[in-house]
């Protein structure tokens, strides 16, 4: 097995409470349970020797490997082709239809021979608690049980398993038309053992999970030019959403580097208020109202929890159940992906002041009647108190959207999103006829607007800039026209777009900002941010620059991996970098596709 396959050489499977990465060689090298943010069980992607993995693949090392999804589903097929035969591994996790938080999760790995004869081999080497906890192995005719503190993992197969130290191996030979498989089930210590799998049972599970995803995707309203790309992004967002609470995590992984060998390695398995709030509009535009409402419920609950407490009304991020405790620590025993250390769990940015999140939160609540109605009177009171707090605090320096660790600044994006909070908050109060200090909010809104127009503008660059008293550009401001702060064809905005073209855009790909010109407290560099590239497409389309917008969007598709997934960044040679797959990238792809579709349709009607 490859020591460290490229980040992009993976597909994602999940059951809406946790998820696993499967490499194109048939290796599960990332899996945490029972939740996204739980300690890992397989983490070879972060340390090949110590992390643990689950391989199920043909023995022939020269087989050509291809990966795809069953259309419109989260069922991943890895195909292996050789002169001796063609085999497939079909990976999926059955979702719990009750959406109840559970400690039991199942990874199904079905195998079959399509042509000729295929010898499949299995290696299951779990390493619990980020490889910090040992385990005991019990092996009998019903399969294997790996017992670690607080958790059991059952491995059962349709073929014999054998002990390999404290790990398990196996082998099966299949001829054309024959099938088999293995099932890995985790549960709390002492949990009931699963029923042994059968070939017919595995086939039935594939069909059942296929129906689940087909029925879910049938809700989509999207009829635009890029259905496969958009729907794959929607499925990915669904896979990254914790069904019991509706909370969207930023990515399925932790510790994957923004620069190979660098220190910009973060844990993204948490729910950012910013990301989740912006996902509301994307999901509503596609017709997934239930998902949008579920996140709004989660968001309103976070506001209500802070009633009567000192400090900020919202934290930048939370665990999927709303727990605000995310202490950051380093796993010194992990070498990191291709030597990219430190490997961190938790996230210290949870305690940062990021004032833009209030704009995104109110923006989410203002996305239509079905959303606004979710705020009960008590919920409205919490929101109104939050707005009053923001009226007194919007002009504080903060760490900003990019969570810099180089000191607080007066970030223009944070001020702009404070304006969004006041503007949309006023509209909500008037539409819902709820009590609010509208005059106070209006005064704050207008003061913010004047401050951004005067201090957030650089005459030297003829552009809006990252923070006051600088000339550094920042791609987060590409959201300016989308949130209504400035008209999409305002001369000041078009001039800003031109400046970004010069300073932040490289072959249609967009950097967040220039770390050399605006030190962020971290060593090393980073790639272009895929989120920013899709925001760029959105801004170009709104500005009427349709040929450039469409070409950029089409070109960006060439950087998707083989199954349509995006990590956080694109490196100098076109490689994907950072945690994978990233929700923010996929939701911004949906936003850009819809905006571009609408702009192209208007152009054709002229």
């Amino acid at each position: 097995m490859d020591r460290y396959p490229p980040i992009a050489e993976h597909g994602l499977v999940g059951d809406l409470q946790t998820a696993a990465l499967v490499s194109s060689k048939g290796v599960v090298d990332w899996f945490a349970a029972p939740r996204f943010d739980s300690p890992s069980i397989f983490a070879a992607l972060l340390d090949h020797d110590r992390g643990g993995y689950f391989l199920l693949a043909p023995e022939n090392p020269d087989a050509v490997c291809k990966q795809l999804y069953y259309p419109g589903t989260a069922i991943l097929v890895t195909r292996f082709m050789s002169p001796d035969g063609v085999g497939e591994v079909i990976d999926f996790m059955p979702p719990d239809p009750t959406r109840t938080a559970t400690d039991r999760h199942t990874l199904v790995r079905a195998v079959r021979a399509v042509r000729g004869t295929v010898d499949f081999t299995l290696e299951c080497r779990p390493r619990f608690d980020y490889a910090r906890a040992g385990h005991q192995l019990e092996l009998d005719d019903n399969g294997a049980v790996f017992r670690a503190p607080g958790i059991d993992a059952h491995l059962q197969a349709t073929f014999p398993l054998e002990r390999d130290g404290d790990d398990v191996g196996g082998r099966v030979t299949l001829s054309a038309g024959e099938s088999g498989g293995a099932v890995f089930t985790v549960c709390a210590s002492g949990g009931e053992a699963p029923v042994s799998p059968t070939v017919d049972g595995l086939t039935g599970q594939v069909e059942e999970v296929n129906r689940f995803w087909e029925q879910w995707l049938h809700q989509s309203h999207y009829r635009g030019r890029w259905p496969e790309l958009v729907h794959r992004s929607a499925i990915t967002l669904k896979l990254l959403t914790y069904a019991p609470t509706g909370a969207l995590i930023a990515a399925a992984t932790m510790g994957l580097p923004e620069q190979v060998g660098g220190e910009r390695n973060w844990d993204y398995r948490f729910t950012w208020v910013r990301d989740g709030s912006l996902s509301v509009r994307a999901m509503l535009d596609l017709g997934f109202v239930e998902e949008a409402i579920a996140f709004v419920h989660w968001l309103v609950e976070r506001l209500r929890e802070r009633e009567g407490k000192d400090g900020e009304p919202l934290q930048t991020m939370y665990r999927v159940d709303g727990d605000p405790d995310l202490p950051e620590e380093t796993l010194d025993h992990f070498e990191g992906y291709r030597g990219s250390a430190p490997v961190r769990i938790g996230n210290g940015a949870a305690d940062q002041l990021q004032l833009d999140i209030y704009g995104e939160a109110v923006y989410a609540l203002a996305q239509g009647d079905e959303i606004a109605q979710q705020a009960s009177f008590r919920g409205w009171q919490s929101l109104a108190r939050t707005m009053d707090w923001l009226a007194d605090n919007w002009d504080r320096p903060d760490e900003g959207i990019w969570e810099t660790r180089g000191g607080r600044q007066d970030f223009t994006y944070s001020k702009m999103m404070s304006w969004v909070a006041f503007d949309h908050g006023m509209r909500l109060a008037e539409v819902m006829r709820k009590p609010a200090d509208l005059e106070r909010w209006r005064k704050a809104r207008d003061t913010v607007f004047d401050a951004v127009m005067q201090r957030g503008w650089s005459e030297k660059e003829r552009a809006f800039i990252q923070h006051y008293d600088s000339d550094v550009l920042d791609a987060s401001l590409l959201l300016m026209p989308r949130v209504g702060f400035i008209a999409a064809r305002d001369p000041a905005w078009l001039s800003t777009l031109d400046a970004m073209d010069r300073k932040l855009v490289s072959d249609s790909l967009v950097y967040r900002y220039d770390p050399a010109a605006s030190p962020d407290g971290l060593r090393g560099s980073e790639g272009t941010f895929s989120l920013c590239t899709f925001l760029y497409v959105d801004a170009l389309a709104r500005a009427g620059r349709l040929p450039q917008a469409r070409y950029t969007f089409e070109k960006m598709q060439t950087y998707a991996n083989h199954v349509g997934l995006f990590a956080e960044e694109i490196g100098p040679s076109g490689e994907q970098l950072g945690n994978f797959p990233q929700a923010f990238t996929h939701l911004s792809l949906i936003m850009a596709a819809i905006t571009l579709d609408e702009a192209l349709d208007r152009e054709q009607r002229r």
Side-chain angles (χ1 to χ4, degrees), residues 370-390:
E370 65 267 273
I371 297 299
Q373 290 169 4
Q374 305 310 308
S376 64
F377 179 65
R378 187 180 171 194
W380 173 258
Q381 287 180 310
S382 298
L383 178 62
R385 278 191 288 268
T386 299
M387 298 292 296
D388 290 340
W389 177 90
L390 188 62

Side-chain angles (χ1 to χ4, degrees), residues 266 268 271-275 277 311-318 326 328 347-361 386 389-390 393-405 407-418 421 476 512 584:
W266 313 108
Y268 272 18
T271 300
W272 270 253
V273 169
R274 176 186 307 112
D275 304 31
S277 295
E312 291 81 29
L314 279 175
Q315 193 167 283
T316 59
M317 71 188 84
Y318 301 82
L326 284 73
E328 184 173 297
N347 200 308
D351 297 326
Q352 289 186 350
L353 178 65
Q354 297 175 24
L355 291 167
D356 68 282
I357 63 175
Y358 299 100
E360 284 116 5
T386 299
W389 177 90
L390 188 62
N393 289 275
W394 68 265
D395 59 347
R396 292 167 59 187
D398 69 348
E399 277 87 4
I401 180 176
W402 305 129
E403 300 176 350
T404 59
R405 301 194 178 193
R408 293 181 176 181
Q409 300 284 353
D410 286 304
F411 286 102
T412 304
Y413 179 80
S414 296
K415 311 306 182 191
M416 176 191 79
M417 293 308 295
S418 295
S476 64
R512 296 188 299 175
F584 220 163

Side-chain angles (χ1 to χ4, degrees), residues 445-502:
R445 181 196 65 178
D446 295 345
T447 303
V448 175
F449 184 83
D450 288 341
V452 170
M453 297 304 291
Q454 294 175 24
R455 301 190 63 194
W457 173 264
S458 166
E459 281 296 330
K460 175 184 175 183
E461 296 294 341
R462 299 296 300 166
F464 292 102
I465 37 82
Q466 184 181 64
H467 58 80
Y468 297 170
D469 305 319
S470 77
D471 294 310
V472 177
L473 300 183
D474 192 312
S476 64
L477 297 175
L478 287 164
L479 276 166
M480 271 186 157
R482 171 174 271 274
V483 299
F485 185 87
I486 195 169
R489 304 193 188 194
D490 185 293
W493 176 245
L494 296 179
S495 177
T496 299
L497 264 184
D498 292 338
M500 289 188 182
D501 283 340
R502 296 191 303 270

Side-chain angles (χ1 to χ4, degrees), residues 201-347:
L202 292 175
T203 301
Q205 280 189 294
V206 172
E207 294 173 352
E208 183 179 347
V209 173
N210 186 69
R211 283 194 299 272
F212 170 88
W213 285 105
E214 286 184 340
Q215 290 170 5
W216 181 79
L217 193 61
H218 186 68
Q219 301 172 75
S220 174
H221 296 166
Y222 184 76
R223 300 294 183 269
R225 294 165 176 80
W226 302 280
E228 291 186 9
L229 189 69
V230 168
H231 286 153
R232 180 52 52 197
S233 290
I235 291 170
T236 303
L237 292 181
K238 181 70 170 175
L239 281 172
L240 296 177
T241 299
Y242 185 66
T245 65
L248 173 74
I249 62 169
T253 59
M254 48 165 275
L256 294 180
E258 297 174 14
Q259 178 187 31
V260 174
E263 68 169 343
R264 298 167 184 260
N265 319 311
W266 313 108
D267 192 344
Y268 272 18
R269 299 171 300 152
F270 309 118
T271 300
W272 270 253
V273 169
R274 176 186 307 112
D275 304 31
S277 295
L278 290 176
S279 75
V280 170
R281 182 68 263 163
M283 298 307 273
L284 284 176
D285 284 341
L286 294 181
F288 298 111
V289 177
E290 186 176 336
E291 284 71 19
I293 288 176
F295 179 78
V296 168
H297 277 301
W298 180 91
L299 179 61
V300 170
E301 191 60 29
R302 303 290 76 76
L303 287 169
R304 290 177 56 183
E305 286 173 348
R306 294 295 301 171
E307 288 182 19
K309 298 180 180 179
D310 295 332
E312 291 81 29
L314 279 175
Q315 193 167 283
T316 59
M317 71 188 84
Y318 301 82
R319 295 188 183 275
V320 290
D321 60 358
D323 185 349
D325 189 23
L326 284 73
E328 184 173 297
E329 59 181 295
T330 299
L331 300 178
D332 293 325
H333 62 291
F334 273 179
E335 71 171 7
Y337 177 83
R338 298 188 179 180
S340 303
V343 176
R344 300 179 178 92
I345 55 175
N347 200 308

Side-chain angles (χ1 to χ4, degrees), residues 222 224-226 281 285 482 538 541-542 546 590-606:
Y222 184 76
R225 294 165 176 80
W226 302 280
R281 182 68 263 163
D285 284 341
R482 171 174 271 274
D538 189 278
R542 291 174 186 275
L546 294 184
I590 294 170
M591 291 161 56
I594 291 172
T595 298
L596 186 54
D597 269 322
E598 292 173 350
L600 291 169
D601 289 345
R602 286 193 299 270
E603 184 72 14
Q604 289 178 354
R605 288 195 294 267
R606 290 180 179 176

Side-chain angles (χ1 to χ4, degrees), residues 71-227:
T73 79
I75 300 173
L76 185 68
V77 182
T78 308
R79 308 191 77 221
F80 301 87
M81 293 166 280
S82 71
D84 297 329
V86 175
E88 294 181 342
V89 178
I90 304 167
D91 286 293
F92 62 92
M93 296 183 70
D96 183 347
T98 68
R99 302 183 183 179
T100 302
T102 177
D103 58 24
R104 181 175 290 266
H105 300 274
T106 301
L107 173 63
V108 180
R109 312 203 70 192
V111 294
R112 65 186 178 195
V114 177
R115 189 178 67 237
T117 301
V118 183
D119 297 321
F120 288 94
T121 186
L122 176 151
E123 296 178 23
C124 187
R125 306 182 184 278
R127 299 293 182 266
F128 297 90
D129 188 22
Y130 306 110
R132 296 181 298 192
H135 66 264
Q136 295 180 334
L137 172 64
E138 299 174 7
L139 184 63
D140 57 28
D141 292 341
N142 191 45
V145 185
F146 304 89
R147 300 194 187 277
I151 188 170
D152 289 348
H154 298 263
L155 176 66
Q156 299 164 307
T158 59
F159 49 86
L161 300 173
E162 59 186 27
R163 179 184 289 270
D164 180 8
D166 288 331
D167 301 318
V168 170
R171 186 177 183 277
V172 63
T173 299
L174 299 177
S175 298
E178 293 182 334
S179 300
V183 179
F184 187 80
T185 304
V186 296
C187 60
S189 294
E192 183 180 354
V195 176
S196 297
T198 64
V199 171
D200 288 344
L202 292 175
T203 301
Q205 280 189 294
V206 172
E207 294 173 352
E208 183 179 347
V209 173
N210 186 69
R211 283 194 299 272
F212 170 88
W213 285 105
E214 286 184 340
Q215 290 170 5
W216 181 79
L217 193 61
H218 186 68
Q219 301 172 75
S220 174
H221 296 166
Y222 184 76
R223 300 294 183 269
R225 294 165 176 80
W226 302 280

